[in-house]
Amino acid sequence: MHKQSLLLASAGVLAVSTVASAQVLNEIRISSPGGSDDTSNFVEIAGTPGTDLSSLTLLAISAEFAPGQVDFAVPLTGAIPADGFWLLSSGDDDAVADQIGGPDFFGSPVSFIITDNFEGLAGDDLDADDDGVLDDPSVIGNILDAVSLTDGDATTDIFFGGGPVVGPDGTFPAALVLRTPDITGDFTFVPGAFGDDSLDTPGVSNVIPEPASIALLGVAGLGLLRRRSA
């Protein structure tokens, strides 16, 4: 798949110190077009080919309804392939996936974290008093990279991991976020991606948008904001 255009719209805060590390979050989709069966969810990790991922865990930590709760904890397997892009797929992209059986992410504010030596479990509440500070930082292990997705509600969103905060897309978290350029670039999001996955690039390089087409996608995206699948 190829991106024809993107609207560059990200709200970055504190960047993690390991953006240039051997493995980073590079592209994430959390909501599928056209229904509640989120088979198009995926997480792409980019970095140095041959990097072993077997000691790492992908965390999705709730940032709103139960701040600090580990919604998903996925032990990673294998190594980054020769092309530099490793893919966790929940279904639609199994043919190009390096690990199959990815989680059905919630379409709500969330922090995604790659961590080494995670000592907790899915369902654990790492911030019991919801103050935005991990109760026991040692449980989460060594954070290698992180990014958070917001719906724009500053009164309820609490983020973890120290990475950039991206969005919102209208009043929702963005359905698709990605780095441009790969690995070292800032996170951006595709507006209206709730209803269209044609701009996804799972398992391959993210395309830097052409300035002349950015405005066109922005206008088209406005009509898709309310078509988000839960």
Side-chain angles (χ1 to χ4, degrees), residues 164-203:
V165 178
V166 182
D169 188 356
T171 58
F172 302 114
L176 175 69
V177 296
L178 66 160
R179 289 184 186 274
T180 55
D182 299 306
I183 301 178
T184 60
D186 293 333
F187 269 101
T188 65
F189 73 88
V190 178
F194 315 113
D196 182 8
D197 61 3
S198 65
L199 302 179
D200 297 6
T201 57

Side-chain angles (χ1 to χ4, degrees), residues 57 59-60 68-74 118-126 139:
T57 302
L59 303 180
Q69 176 177 293
V70 180
D71 290 334
F72 299 99
V74 183
F118 176 61
E119 296 182 358
L121 298 169
D124 287 353
D125 188 350
L126 305 183
V139 173

Side-chain angles (χ1 to χ4, degrees), residues 56-137:
L56 307 185
T57 302
L58 172 72
L59 303 180
I61 299 180
S62 177
E64 184 179 62
F65 299 110
Q69 176 177 293
V70 180
D71 290 334
F72 299 99
V74 183
L76 305 187
T77 61
I80 295 178
D83 62 6
F85 301 101
W86 181 97
L87 187 69
L88 170 69
S89 169
S90 67
D92 286 357
D93 305 299
D94 286 357
V96 294
D98 298 283
Q99 184 170 331
I100 298 172
D104 179 355
F105 296 127
F106 307 136
S108 57
V110 60
S111 294
F112 286 100
I113 296 172
I114 304 175
T115 183
D116 194 6
N117 297 317
F118 176 61
E119 296 182 358
L121 298 169
D124 287 353
D125 188 350
L126 305 183
D127 181 18
D129 54 3
D130 297 341
D131 65 353
V133 178
L134 297 175
D135 299 331
D136 183 358

